[in-house]
Amino acid sequence: MEFPLIDTVYVLEIAGTFTFAISGVSTAYDKRFDLMGVIIIAFVTAVGGGTVRDMMIGVEPVTWLTDTNIVITIAAAVVMSFFFLNSILKLKRALFLFDTIGLGLFTVLGMERAFEMGLNPLTAVIMGTVSAVFGGVIRDLLCGSIPLIFGGTIYAFNCVAGGFLYVALLSAGVAQQISMAVVVLSIITARTLAVKFNWSLPAIR
Amino acid sequence: MEFPLIDTVYVLEIAGTFTFAISGVSTAYDKRFDLMGVIIIAFVTAVGGGTVRDMMIGVEPVTWLTDTNIVITIAAAVVMSFFFLNSILKLKRALFLFDTIGLGLFTVLGMERAFEMGLNPLTAVIMGTVSAVFGGVIRDLLCGSIPLIFGGTIYAFNCVAGGFLYVALLSAGVAQQISMAVVVLSIITARTLAVKFNWSLPAIR
Amino acid sequence: MEFPLIDTVYVLEIAGTFTFAISGVSTAYDKRFDLMGVIIIAFVTAVGGGTVRDMMIGVEPVTWLTDTNIVITIAAAVVMSFFFLNSILKLKRALFLFDTIGLGLFTVLGMERAFEMGLNPLTAVIMGTVSAVFGGVIRDLLCGSIPLIFGGTIYAFNCVAGGFLYVALLSAGVAQQISMAVVVLSIITARTLAVKFNWSLPAIR
């Protein structure tokens, strides 16, 4: 059984939006922001990376402005988070888990958008990485934290490596949906291992 | 007597630009920036929200780049502020007052731009809010302050509520200029009351 | 002997990209970021100003996404910096020197792009300044520093003054390549003198 490709990309988008929104909500709770602050941070985390990508490659109005499902997905994530608030706050891993899933999904999604706009594989990898990490960067800037991308363990590097893997798989003729699944799981696995074993890239000097 | 609608929107734009520029100038004086810093912060505060909105919805070159009146308005606000410097610095309320007026004006203006670009009411409300609050967010980031939107009293929520009110009034068939006036005044009043009585949204937990 | 104008602008772009990338690398080393952090800061510093300019004036995909040479230039700057790391770290002036050269080059380059998009001289000067200083602003925000533009000595003002000089020279009928050279050298000289003699604009009060 095969799903149409367009649906697969769309499912990635909705799933990534949901997980990043939950990741944003967790951060905002941590900072004890009020209700509006929680909503803003959920939005910024979920759509920030894709918005920067769309503005850079020229998809305007940016995707989420013309797709109410994305706005509804974020609203649903915020509402759901109220009911599971204690679990989310207890599980320090929740923020990490959802952020990591979003990282994998948005890398592939961002690359697909870049290919659609005719970018070459090299800049498509960069756009995938921007999609994946810039929501978190803006979230961290607004919260006054040092962005997670400079936080020690391997983070953005996973997206770059996963992006090149995606290019390699497609060039090797692997089916698109299989390539996507492999790359998303690789990014999630690599990030999880990096945090578990505290892997970091060499600091210069 | 009725004014043409296009003029009303344009008057909002010039008035909002002026008030946000003054708001930026006050902040920059407070931080003891030099002349260029004052000019930069006045610009960023005045055009930042509209620039982010235009880039997101695809109005490019962004509005103020093709309208010299906006640049002149900001320059005039900076020059005028020199003459009323003492008053501005004495009246702590000046920053608040001008920021609040700009908040109301830019919410409605941003929604009008979003409608022109064919966005639906829900995302138009979000774009109105972005127009109104993002200039201040960028100003605060550049100044190294925690953005005012997370500052305790009701702020961005006013824009969202005012935005939905605008949608409701228009749907109910109220004339556009009257709807605009009602919404702008509602946002200004609600924000003033919020600060006076220290209203805040419930923090989560 | 005369070089074609398009080449001159392109040489400015590559040279400015290289010098800003080195400037970014120096900052990242200073902050002891890891390898990926160094690469990200090199990128952001080199393409940040041009990206913001392109998104504002409507050049999309933004220039560097469709020109692999720019990406390669940044990569080369990062790799070269490994070999000259000690020199770069010892010479505190390196960061300053490369940042200053980029400042001059990108002001003129940004203005050329703005003219191509039909902007008037006033907003072209602003876009030249944005091109020149915004990469550094984003770099400083990501690193958690107060942006250099508010750092005391004359900085963005040089770009504005150089921009108006460029407009004046062109209006006076001076050849474009000569005007470019004069403006770039003026901006570099003025910035160098400003730092050497600690020139600053008057602070208000």
Side-chain angles (χ1 to χ4, degrees), chain A:
Chain A
M1 198 175 92
E2 203 177 314
F3 296 99
L5 183 62
I6 183 73
D7 285 2
T8 309
V9 173
Y10 195 64
V11 166
L12 288 187
E13 177 133 35
I14 297 296
T17 300
F18 184 82
T19 55
F20 268 155
I22 294 280
S23 148
V25 163
S26 318
T27 311
Y29 284 155
D30 233 42
K31 295 272 172 181
R32 297 173 180 274
F33 284 159
D34 68 11
L35 182 59
M36 194 68 207
V38 170
I39 294 171
I40 292 173
I41 295 294
F43 254 92
V44 161
T45 310
V47 303
T51 300
V52 172
R53 176 203 65 212
D54 284 349
M55 292 192 311
M56 286 174 73
I57 65 180
V59 177
E60 284 157 355
V62 299
T63 312
W64 66 273
L65 284 178
T66 51
D67 182 354
T68 319
N69 290 342
I70 297 180
V71 178
I72 292 170
T73 300
I74 299 171
V78 172
V79 172
M80 277 186 56
S81 72
F82 295 149
F83 296 101
F84 301 100
L85 188 54
N86 283 319
S87 324
I88 288 177
L89 286 171
K90 251 182 240 155
L91 295 172
K92 270 236 148 188
R93 275 173 292 189
L95 168 58
F96 165 74
L97 182 69
F98 284 103
D99 194 72
T100 300
I101 297 171
L103 209 61
L105 296 172
F106 271 38
T107 301
V108 169
L109 176 68
M111 289 184 68
E112 279 301 315
R113 282 283 147 71
F115 285 136
E116 277 166 32
M117 297 300 286
L119 298 195
N120 62 56
L122 181 60
T123 49
V125 171
I126 300 177
M127 283 300 95
T129 307
V130 165
S131 308
V133 307
F134 251 72
V137 167
I138 303 175
R139 174 197 64 205
D140 293 339
L141 285 180
L142 289 180
C143 294
S145 320
I146 298 249
L148 196 54
I149 45 166
F150 303 124
T153 52
I154 290 177
Y155 188 81
F157 181 76
N158 283 331
C159 304
V160 174
F164 282 117
L165 176 61
Y166 190 56
V167 171
L169 291 172
L170 292 181
S171 314
V174 179
Q176 196 152 13
Q177 283 161 315
I178 294 174
S179 303
M180 284 178 178
V182 169
V183 170
V184 171
L185 290 176
S186 301
I187 292 175
I188 294 173
T189 308
R191 171 75 181 142
T192 308
L193 292 174
V195 169
K196 192 171 175 67
F197 297 108
N198 208 22
W199 287 345
S200 56
L201 289 173
I204 312 301
R205 280 175 70 113

Side-chain angles (χ1 to χ4, degrees), chain B residues 21-147:
Chain B
I22 294 279
S23 149
V25 163
S26 318
T27 312
Y29 283 155
D30 233 42
K31 294 271 172 183
R32 297 174 180 274
F33 284 161
D34 67 12
L35 182 59
M36 194 69 207
V38 169
I39 294 172
I40 292 172
I41 295 294
F43 254 93
V44 161
T45 310
V47 302
T51 300
V52 172
R53 175 203 65 213
D54 283 349
M55 293 191 312
M56 287 174 72
I57 64 180
V59 177
E60 285 156 355
V62 299
T63 311
W64 65 274
L65 283 178
T66 50
D67 182 355
T68 318
N69 290 343
I70 296 180
V71 179
I72 291 170
T73 301
I74 298 172
V78 172
V79 172
M80 277 186 57
S81 72
F82 295 149
F83 295 101
F84 300 100
L85 189 54
N86 283 320
S87 325
I88 289 177
L89 287 170
K90 250 182 242 158
L91 294 172
K92 271 235 149 189
R93 275 173 292 189
L95 168 58
F96 165 73
L97 182 69
F98 284 102
D99 194 71
T100 299
I101 296 171
L103 209 62
L105 295 172
F106 271 38
T107 301
V108 169
L109 176 68
M111 289 185 68
E112 279 302 314
R113 282 282 147 72
F115 284 137
E116 277 166 33
M117 297 299 288
L119 297 195
N120 62 55
L122 181 60
T123 49
V125 170
I126 300 178
M127 283 299 95
T129 306
V130 165
S131 309
V133 307
F134 252 72
V137 167
I138 302 175
R139 174 197 64 203
D140 293 340
L141 285 179
L142 289 180
C143 294
S145 320
I146 297 250

Side-chain angles (χ1 to χ4, degrees), chain B residues 4-10 12 104-105 108-109 111-112 162 165-166 169-170 174-187:
Chain B
L5 183 62
I6 183 72
D7 285 3
T8 310
V9 172
Y10 195 64
L12 287 189
L105 295 172
V108 169
L109 176 68
M111 289 185 68
E112 279 302 314
L165 176 61
Y166 189 56
L169 291 172
L170 292 181
V174 179
Q176 195 153 13
Q177 282 162 315
I178 295 174
S179 303
M180 284 179 179
V182 169
V183 170
V184 171
L185 291 175
S186 301
I187 292 175

